[in-house]
Amino acid sequence: MARKERKKIIAYAVESTYGVDAIAGGSPKYVLGREFSVTPMAGESQSLDYDDGTLGNSAEVMTEKYVTLEFTVDLAASNDVKVAAPFGDLMSGCLRQANAVATECTYSFDDNSTGSLTFYFYQSGTLHKVTGARGSLSFSGQAKNFGGIKFAFTGLFQPVSGQTLPVPDFTPWRTPLKIGVENSAFSIDGKALKLISIEYDQANSVTYQEYVGHEEVQITDYKPTATIVIEAPEHADWNPWLLAEQGGTHTVVFSNGPVTNQIEWKSSKVQLGRPTYGEQEGTQTYSIPLNVIKFHDVFTTR
């Protein structure tokens, strides 16, 4: 009988010891998301390439073996404002630390973080175990749509086995709210602007390392980038050309949802790049790249 491609589930758990399976014998959480993609056996191979007097291909030896995993979750808050949203654990493997207080939770940079995750990727009767996973994240939001946070992880390869799908619990996840006039707000230095779309990429540098006696996925750097598309205000009302030329830093805030179901991205140290013109349904727009400086950007759910 043919295996059905859509029968796939991702389970995850935070590791207490790097590379040690945190799901086996425990109670994992489950990803409620979309665009699941796994490369079960990524890495390089090298040809033996002998000079043996013959033409054609030589045999190859697999010299690297790791796993990459990508998926997108909704840009939505937690079911309980006093605890981190389900994606908080996922962010812990991407140099971010969740900090919950009475009415909100922040997810801020921690470039000393050593957090890692175990994933179980179930694919129509097959189980791919991934340990020691670390990665990066990006998010996007577009008017008349709902936003998403995309995670991309690299982890250590484990033997593949046959396994039936578990029964997942998705109750911690909330349904996202549409981005638009009812739920969303966007401003630069407190100036409300008509946002069409926002794209942010944390751009962690994620490397797989293998030495004698050592195997690990490391995050060695991060260089966040972002781009906004806005309806162009009257020039006398807001001048992005002057702001870009001056090179100063600005506070950029995007939020979606009311309090008790709100997610916000904010950076207090952003330079505006060189604007370009665009068009949206006959309306003049600006596309502006943002230089998000160091660790000044933070997600908040409240």
Side-chain angles (χ1 to χ4, degrees):
M1 185 174 70
R3 294 166 60 188
K4 295 177 173 60
E5 189 275 336
R6 290 193 64 186
K7 286 187 171 290
K8 51 192 174 186
I9 293 173
I10 298 177
Y12 65 99
V14 176
E15 296 178 346
S16 56
T17 301
Y18 180 79
V20 175
D21 191 331
I23 292 179
S27 300
K29 300 177 182 179
Y30 292 90
V31 173
L32 181 60
R34 61 185 66 83
E35 300 168 350
F36 289 0
S37 174
V38 62
T39 303
M41 194 177 283
E44 300 292 332
S45 297
Q46 291 188 21
S47 172
L48 294 174
D49 205 18
Y50 293 128
D51 290 327
D52 57 6
T54 61
L55 305 180
N57 292 329
S58 297
E60 292 184 338
V61 174
M62 193 177 292
T63 54
E64 285 186 328
K65 191 169 54 178
Y66 56 90
V67 183
T68 62
L69 184 66
E70 296 184 1
F71 52 85
T72 300
V73 303
D74 289 330
L75 196 64
S78 171
N79 271 324
D80 182 348
V81 296
K82 298 185 292 295
V83 300
F87 56 71
D89 284 345
L90 299 170
M91 286 186 171
S92 72
C94 303
L95 294 187
R96 286 190 182 266
Q97 180 70 41
N99 181 31
V101 294
T103 58
E104 66 180 29
C105 183
T106 58
Y107 312 81
S108 53
F109 269 114
D110 177 7
D111 57 8
N112 293 315
S113 171
T114 57
S116 61
L117 297 157
T118 293
F119 288 100
Y120 279 16
F121 183 89
Y122 299 87
Q123 175 71 70
S124 187
T126 302
L127 171 59
H128 300 271
K129 296 182 180 181
V130 187
T131 58
R134 293 175 175 139
S136 190
L137 64 90
S138 58
F139 89 87
S140 61
Q142 185 172 0
K144 299 189 290 186
N145 209 322
F146 47 83
I149 304 173
K150 182 175 182 178
F151 289 93
F153 287 98
T154 299
L156 308 182
F157 176 86
Q158 304 296 330
V160 181
S161 61
Q163 183 74 46
T164 58
L165 267 65
V167 179
D169 177 11
F170 296 132
T171 54
W173 298 88
R174 293 188 78 161
T175 302
L177 296 172
K178 185 196 79 171
I179 294 171
V181 67
E182 304 99 327
N183 304 311
S184 313
F186 178 76
S187 66
I188 297 179
D189 293 333
K191 169 71 174 176
L193 295 166
K194 298 176 183 178
L195 181 74
I196 297 169
S197 66
I198 180 170
E199 302 281 343
Y200 168 87
D201 186 356
Q202 189 168 301
N204 290 350
S205 297
V206 182
T207 62
Y208 167 75
Q209 298 176 344
E210 181 184 358
Y211 311 129
V212 175
H214 178 77
E215 184 184 30
E216 186 175 358
V217 175
Q218 292 268 19
I219 302 174
T220 57
D221 202 358
Y222 59 90
K223 293 187 177 181
T225 61
T227 301
I228 57 170
V229 177
I230 61 172
E231 183 182 288
E234 291 292 336
H235 182 74
D237 192 35
W238 194 73
N239 185 347
W241 317 98
L242 178 61
L243 297 177
E245 184 179 9
Q246 289 174 337
T249 58
H250 307 272
T251 297
V252 177
V253 183
F254 165 75
S255 66
N256 195 54
V259 173
T260 72
N261 187 15
Q262 183 180 91
I263 182 167
E264 176 189 270
W265 176 79
K266 177 179 180 179
S267 181
S268 60
K269 203 168 185 180
V270 175
Q271 288 180 305
L272 303 188
R274 303 166 191 262
T276 56
Y277 283 121
E279 175 270 336
Q280 178 81 6
E281 299 176 342
T283 299
Q284 187 75 75
T285 63
Y286 291 135
S287 177
I288 306 175
L290 306 179
N291 180 23
V292 184
I293 297 175
K294 297 291 185 180
F295 37 78
H296 291 275
D297 75 87
V298 62
F299 293 88
T300 303
T301 52
R302 58 173 68 90

